[in-house]
């Protein structure tokens, strides 16, 4: 485990097979409320490292103990730290961003930061979103309304960098079903950096056609606005369709690796 700050950490998985094609800077999802840096299944990490990519997975403080602006700043702190240390740690300064769900939103916000120390060469976006105030994400969610809500717990005194799915997913479910998500994580329109799609690196979008959490229509918008985006639709009705490393999901990740090889000019 690597230390970014006293409270923030990362895990680094080193490329294998005699190749060093770059580092995948991974940002986990979880609605900004749950999850941690270990949420990417080891089988996918092995797939990346076997293909010659390092994988750096970061953690960040979660809501409601901190606000969304603080989370965004934490990701930027981690990125700046890695840029300053990437050659020492990995021997390469080539960086690829990878975010799943809310992690893709944080990647978008990072990419809109002025004067990044190193511009990422590519962006892998799995079932993410670029605008937390998209109408489908603001309004009370009909899908989540079929489940029982919970009483929202009081925030803990200290920032939390790990959020149990069992304990915290019901909180996310509750604020989504009531249309209270943005308020719960202290998100305001003023804090959101508008995405300039023309300034983004090449992007690989992978999204389920029947995603009940982040509608597939958002992926269509991303593809339409980004001149160098590739959209891969998955015939599934789960948000995180890749949660279990099945044969089909390994093929999806192989497609990502093949796309990277074409974008980066590696074989």
């Amino acid at each position: 485990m690597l230390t970014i700050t006293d409270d923030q950490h990362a895990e680094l998985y080193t490329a294998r097979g005699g190749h060093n094609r770059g580092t995948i800077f991974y940002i986990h999802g979880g609605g900004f409320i749950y999850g941690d840096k270990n949420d990417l299944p080891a089988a996918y990490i092995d797939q990346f490292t076997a293909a010659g990519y390092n994988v750096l997975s970061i953690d960040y403080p979660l809501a409601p103990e901190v606000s969304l602006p603080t989370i965004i700043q934490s990701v930027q702190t981690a990125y700046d730290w890695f840029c300053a240390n990437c050659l020492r740690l990995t021997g390469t300064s080539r960086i690829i961003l990878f975010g799943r769900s809310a992690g893709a939103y944080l990647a978008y916000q990072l990419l809109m930061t002025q004067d990044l120390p190193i511009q990422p060469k590519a962006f892998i976006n799995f079932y993410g979103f670029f605008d937390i105030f998209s109408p489908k994400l603001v309004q009370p969610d009909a899908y989540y309304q079929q489940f029982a809500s919970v009483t929202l717990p009081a925030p803990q005194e200290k920032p939390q960098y790990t959020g149990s799915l069992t304990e915290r997913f019901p909180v996310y479910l509750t604020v989504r079903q009531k249309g209270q998500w943005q308020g719960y994580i202290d998100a305001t329109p003023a804090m959101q950096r508008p995405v300039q799609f023309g300034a983004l690196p090449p992007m690989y979008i992978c999204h389920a056609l029947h995603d009940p959490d982040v509608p597939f229509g958002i992926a269509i918008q991303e593809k339409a606005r980004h001149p160098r985006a590739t959209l891969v639709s998955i015939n599934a009705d789960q948000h995180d369709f890749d949660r279990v490393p099945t044969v089909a999901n390994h093929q999806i990740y192989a497609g990502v690796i093949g796309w990277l090889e074409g974008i980066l000019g590696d074989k």
Side-chain angles (χ1 to χ4, degrees):
M1 185 170 66
L2 301 174
T3 298
I4 300 169
T5 68
D6 287 344
D7 297 316
Q8 188 176 19
H9 300 90
E11 299 287 350
L12 178 63
Y13 307 90
T14 305
R16 296 177 288 133
H19 298 287
N20 190 0
R21 295 190 166 104
T23 301
I24 293 171
F25 185 95
Y26 175 69
I27 310 171
H28 73 81
F32 315 108
I33 295 171
Y34 63 93
D36 61 44
K37 59 182 168 51
N38 298 311
D39 88 328
L40 187 64
Y44 301 144
I45 294 173
D46 288 345
Q47 209 167 342
F48 282 127
T49 58
Y53 296 95
N54 310 292
V55 177
L56 183 87
S57 182
I58 66 164
D59 60 17
Y60 52 82
L62 301 170
E65 285 76 18
V66 303
S67 65
L68 181 55
T70 298
I71 295 171
I72 293 170
Q73 180 57 54
S74 176
V75 171
Q76 184 173 341
T77 296
Y79 188 79
D80 290 347
W81 169 86
F82 181 63
C83 289
N85 293 279
C86 60
L87 288 175
R88 175 178 63 83
L89 293 172
T90 68
T92 177
S93 60
R94 179 188 275 180
I95 300 174
I96 301 106
L97 290 183
F98 179 19
R100 296 198 299 169
S101 194
Y105 175 83
L106 294 172
Y108 271 121
Q109 291 296 291
L110 177 65
L111 286 163
M112 290 301 100
T113 304
Q114 293 185 349
D115 302 322
L116 285 177
I118 298 173
Q119 290 295 328
K121 298 296 185 183
F123 174 21
I124 305 165
N125 169 0
F126 268 42
Y127 39 87
F129 52 92
F130 62 93
D131 181 3
I132 196 169
F133 295 99
S134 169
K136 291 290 187 179
L137 301 179
V138 170
Q139 65 194 22
D141 189 278
Y143 170 74
Y144 285 121
Q145 286 174 350
Q146 66 183 302
F147 304 106
S149 62
V150 298
T151 300
L152 300 181
Q156 299 189 44
E157 292 184 3
K158 295 182 179 180
Q160 301 296 302
Y161 288 79
T162 297
S164 161
L165 180 68
T166 302
E167 294 179 359
R168 291 210 172 202
F169 178 72
V171 174
Y172 173 73
L173 178 155
T174 297
V175 295
R176 283 296 307 276
Q177 69 182 198
K178 296 182 178 181
Q180 298 174 349
W181 185 34
Q182 289 75 12
Y184 188 71
I185 63 176
D186 199 18
T188 64
M191 48 96 350
Q192 179 171 259
R193 300 162 184 159
V195 175
Q196 306 297 322
F197 282 88
L200 297 176
M203 178 165 64
Y204 189 96
I205 309 164
C206 196
H207 210 117
L209 285 168
H210 310 291
D211 188 331
D213 186 32
V214 179
F216 183 73
I218 289 177
I220 294 175
Q221 293 178 41
E222 292 170 324
K223 174 66 171 70
R225 298 182 186 195
H226 193 324
R228 296 183 292 169
T230 296
L231 172 57
V232 175
S233 59
I234 307 299
N235 187 17
D237 58 4
Q238 289 181 315
H239 175 55
D240 52 342
F241 56 83
D242 60 336
R243 69 178 69 170
V244 178
T246 63
V247 171
N249 284 334
H250 277 296
Q251 292 174 343
I252 291 169
Y253 275 76
V256 173
I257 291 168
W259 175 81
L260 281 175
E261 290 174 353
I263 290 297
L264 302 176
D266 293 334
K267 293 183 179 179

